[in-house]
Amino acid sequence: MDKSNIIQRVKRIFIRQSVTEAAILITLLAAISRVIGFFREMMIAAFFGAKKFTDSFVVAQAIPGILAGLVAGALSSVFVPLYAEWREKKGKEEAERFASILVSDLFILLLGVTVFSYVISPLIIEILAPGFSGETRKLALDFTYIMLPGIIFWGTYGIITGLYNSHKSFVIPNLAGVLGSIVFILAIFFLHNTFGAYILPWGYLANVVIQYLLLLPALRRIGVKITWEINFRYEGLKKALVLITPIFLGQSIGLLNMAVDRIFGSFLPEGSISALNYASRVYQLPINLFVNALATAIYTDLAFQAQSENLDQFKLSLNKSLRAALFFLIPASFGLIFLAKPIVRLAFERGAFDALATKRTSESLIFYSLGLVFMSINMIITRGFFALHDTKTPVKNSIIALLFNIVLNTIFIKPLAHMGLALATSLASLISSVLLIRSLRSKISGVFSKDLLVNVFKFTLGGLFIGIVALLSFNFLYGHIFSHGQLGLAISLLVSVGIAVVIYLLLGLRWGIEESKRIFNIIKKNLELIVHLVK
């Protein structure tokens, strides 16, 4: 391979990828990002523990997260299929104008929202954390004021990443996320003594701004030009508003779920909200590694397939995405349930993060992990509905799930405390999955193949088996071979998980599972490449 071909290949990796390439690259970058993110959480846990500082930070994050997430999440969901429609019917130039108007109009709106948020923040804190008082409440309010400008950047971030995704360029947005997290880590590490707990909101804001600024210059690399144009009467904006309304409600419900858990959590002992937050970081790891990568990579294809009314290909793409996600997520769920305590100990137990914090966090992780599969199914199927321009059905189902979550929180919080909140979240996700699957079946005949159901059974059987293998291996290694320090814990976990993964892949190969075959083929090709390079 000559030098020019290598350069072209590298450019293609960064600028435009196929769905398979995108899923692999996003997964790799997500893995790097989650490792960095875990390192950040480990430092927060070590320096600040699971106390009032971290409780305040978790609650304060909710305000810019809710306000920006409502707008950005909804707009990014409708943007990809609308942008695809504009390019298909009106051409590239008008599609870029549509994107420019959306970004410009949204910037103005979010600027006003941010200013108004400074006025209503005390009321929101009172609503989100009615159990907070004294210094904890003051910290939450101070942290909120620092992070509020992030609304403007997060709010328009969804459209910018949607542009990249529409052009099948997935690497740059994920790379920006990695670099932003590194900035956050450096801020905590070098400035925590100077700023104390206040470095958490300042680091959060720096992370948001850095990610945003890194994305803008590279837009021209994918052939997109964004200009400043305010036009609140533009046809595309009107259509976006029609589609966004139910999604806006759906995003509101998702964020309300989070807010409901924190409202209930504010009445629990100090550190409970932080324990739930740390546990959520762990169980979201496989979602961010596998499901987000698949959902992001496949969404553009689903949108174009729905636009061209190619429902056979649409069903095939959806089934492949669900099968690939569940291939990873089902065994991951069993692994997190069986190995919750050693995982939490390795990740967080040092410095200010004590044994009590480990106990609460690992208990929360077990109950969160029960719903991991259903959360993943919901993400992918919801993307399918959005690609079909059906934004109402997911919202209706989300409302029902939210109501169940409130009822279940009320039932479980007294006997199970923080574990009850995690269990309620998992059961609400299960209910949402059942409703979404039923709705999609009624909308598209034969949308879920029999092959998918057979594979889910195989994944479950294999996942349960390797979960038990991982637990037995860990107990033997940590109890009889390696010391009881952090290094021994890390080696025992890595070896036991490695054994489980190898067994799972071999079982998949024996059972004829497509994902196992692909992974072994990738390993084989890379080994051949390494041998060729060595020679």
Side-chain angles (χ1 to χ4, degrees), residues 9-17 169 171-172 175:
R9 190 167 182 177
V10 171
K11 283 184 177 179
R12 187 171 183 270
I13 286 173
F14 278 91
I15 302 304
R16 187 171 284 107
Q17 307 87 35
S169 180
V171 171
I172 295 172
L175 189 58

Side-chain angles (χ1 to χ4, degrees), residues 168-404:
K168 295 191 176 182
S169 180
F170 303 95
V171 171
I172 295 172
N174 283 276
L175 189 58
V178 170
L179 295 174
S181 292
I182 291 173
V183 169
F184 198 170
I185 287 172
L186 293 175
I188 295 171
F189 187 77
F190 288 107
L191 300 173
H192 70 275
N193 284 328
T194 305
F195 290 89
Y198 282 82
I199 193 56
L200 297 177
W202 282 116
Y204 168 92
L205 183 60
N207 175 21
V208 175
V209 174
I210 290 294
Q211 285 191 51
Y212 190 84
L213 294 179
L214 287 171
L215 285 183
L216 293 179
L219 277 174
R220 291 184 180 273
R221 297 278 184 179
I222 61 171
V224 174
K225 183 180 179 182
I226 294 293
T227 57
W228 181 260
E229 182 180 352
I230 300 172
N231 186 350
F232 288 101
R233 296 183 179 181
Y234 184 67
E235 175 192 358
L237 180 63
K238 294 177 182 177
K239 189 164 186 178
L241 289 174
V242 171
L243 289 172
I244 202 177
T245 303
I247 297 182
F248 188 86
L249 292 173
Q251 295 285 346
S252 302
I253 292 162
L255 292 165
L256 276 173
N257 261 315
M258 176 184 70
V260 164
D261 288 346
R262 287 172 185 175
I263 289 168
F264 278 94
S266 70
F267 292 102
L268 292 173
E270 179 184 318
S272 296
I273 292 177
S274 296
L276 288 164
N277 182 62
Y278 288 126
S280 73
R281 298 292 186 185
V282 178
Y283 87 79
Q284 285 172 7
L285 176 61
I287 292 178
N288 288 320
L289 284 177
F290 305 117
V291 184
N292 274 345
L294 282 167
T296 302
I298 204 66
Y299 186 36
T300 301
D301 280 3
L302 289 175
F304 278 96
Q305 288 159 6
Q307 183 64 34
S308 60
E309 298 183 356
N310 189 351
L311 289 185
D312 287 337
Q313 191 60 43
F314 179 91
K315 288 189 284 187
L316 182 62
S317 296
L318 191 67
N319 275 269
K320 281 185 176 180
S321 299
L322 285 169
R323 190 185 67 202
L326 295 177
F327 173 77
F328 293 107
L329 267 295
I330 290 175
S333 299
F334 285 114
L336 290 174
I337 290 169
F338 286 125
L339 297 173
K341 191 170 183 179
I343 289 172
V344 172
R345 281 188 61 195
L346 179 63
F348 302 119
E349 192 176 301
R350 59 187 56 83
F353 197 97
D354 55 20
L356 177 59
T358 294
K359 179 177 180 294
R360 287 176 176 167
T361 303
S362 58
E363 289 169 345
S364 301
L365 177 58
I366 290 170
F367 285 98
Y368 271 139
S369 298
L370 294 172
L372 183 61
V373 168
F374 307 114
M375 296 172 197
S376 306
I377 291 171
N378 295 345
M379 287 177 64
I380 293 174
I381 295 181
T382 297
R383 294 291 180 102
F385 276 108
F386 290 165
L388 293 165
H389 284 197
D390 180 356
T391 55
K392 294 180 180 178
T393 301
V395 173
K396 293 176 183 176
N397 293 336
S398 296
I399 292 172
I400 296 171
L402 171 63
L403 295 174
F404 269 102

Side-chain angles (χ1 to χ4, degrees), residues 510-522:
R510 183 176 180 82
W511 290 340
I513 294 172
E514 188 65 30
E515 284 70 23
S516 287
K517 293 178 183 178
R518 288 181 182 176
I519 290 171
F520 275 108
N521 284 334
I522 290 170

